[in-house]
Amino acid sequence: KWSGGAKGKNGNIYGLPRHHKRVLRIFPMTIMGATKSNNGATSKQKQDEESSKSSPSIRTTTSQKKTGKAMAVGVGFERKAPKFEISNPFSELIIEDAKSELKKEGGSSSSISPSIAATASYTMMPPPESIDAETGQDLRTKLIEKVGCPVGEYFPAWATSYATGHRKGIDAQGCGPGMHINSEIINLAFLVGFGVAMTGMLYATGNWESYLLRLDKESCEMMDEISATVMVVLLSPALLNSNPCLDELYQALENKMDFIVIRCDDDIPPKKNWWPLSDKKKRDIKQRDAFMLKRKKVVDFLVQQNTIPPPGETILTAPSAPGVFIKELRSALSR
């Protein structure tokens, strides 16, 4: 179990607000191949309980507070951690990244045990059959709690663009499968040490100005804040029909952000059907031309991007996709 930040009485994990350092602790769980004793516990589990006071720990640091950048890793063990057989692609990626970070910091990659990686696997949960208002608010609240400071003071280094994908007659107003997948992806990144992404879920419905402001490099520099440098696109039919998402992606391109495109649905329409021109815009030549120029720039860019995972699978069905995303995010934020 990998716990980042502080664990509240309600079981939620919270970041440490206004601190430059965060402590993460790894607790070894099931030991592969261990035998159970008469009372059901493994002999290795008993050894871990007896030596719990000297549990291995990882300390991670950030160079700037209130950002969503990855934290440089430094590892120190007081005892030898149990060895695991690594079979999960996500775990392999985490341990390789950790070794790489250690070398940058002058540490030894041999200090990292596979037990760290083996306990850090993550399963993307598919959206529920319906999302009511209470569930939607709970998803938003949990993300806001992880921010660790007032949202108005938060300027993370990465952002997500997603469409709610409201299912009429199934989901509550303002809710949909897109918000669930967006929450899962941000929680995954948070689990391995990234801050919460800049996302519409941090704000009340319809409040896009504050979100867009954090993508604008010039505005952020004037406020002595950092702007987001990485845009994670949650590709779905709903996103390709959402004008607010088009605005977000255009803003990201204008500010030369790096893009990571996550395939959340494999039923993607042909590009000619992306962001259709409404009858209202057709009647206003100025609006029509402005929209079509914006659309062209985003579409021409997006069709050239590789997705995680490739066509044929989605982030919910490809076992290696979460790990590939984390590796790409870490790489993009380190540039």
Side-chain angles (χ1 to χ4, degrees), residues 41-73:
T42 66
S43 57
K44 189 60 183 176
Q45 286 171 333
K46 285 184 176 181
Q47 293 174 22
D48 285 338
E49 289 174 4
E50 292 172 358
S51 56
S52 60
K53 292 183 180 179
S54 59
S55 296
S57 63
I58 289 183
R59 184 176 64 188
T60 62
T61 64
T62 53
S63 58
Q64 183 174 359
K65 65 180 179 179
K66 301 189 300 181
T67 73
K69 284 196 173 182
M71 293 171 275
V73 180

Side-chain angles (χ1 to χ4, degrees), residues 235-240 263-270 274 311-314:
L235 188 64
S236 69
L239 177 133
L240 299 171
R263 185 175 291 271
C264 299
D265 193 310
D266 202 38
D267 187 21
I268 302 300
W274 297 4
E313 289 193 277
T314 73

Side-chain angles (χ1 to χ4, degrees), residues 67-69 154-160 196-199 211-218 220-221 225-232 251-253 255-258 333:
T67 73
K69 284 196 173 182
Y154 190 56
F155 288 78
W158 68 295
T160 64
V196 174
M198 177 46 52
T199 176
Y211 170 97
L212 291 173
L213 187 65
R214 283 155 174 77
L215 308 185
D216 187 72
K217 186 176 181 180
E218 183 177 341
C220 288
E221 286 178 350
E225 299 286 0
I226 66 163
S227 62
T229 59
V230 179
M231 172 60 78
V232 177
Q251 177 89 325
L253 283 173
N255 285 273
K256 297 179 172 56
M257 294 174 67
D258 288 324
L333 288 174

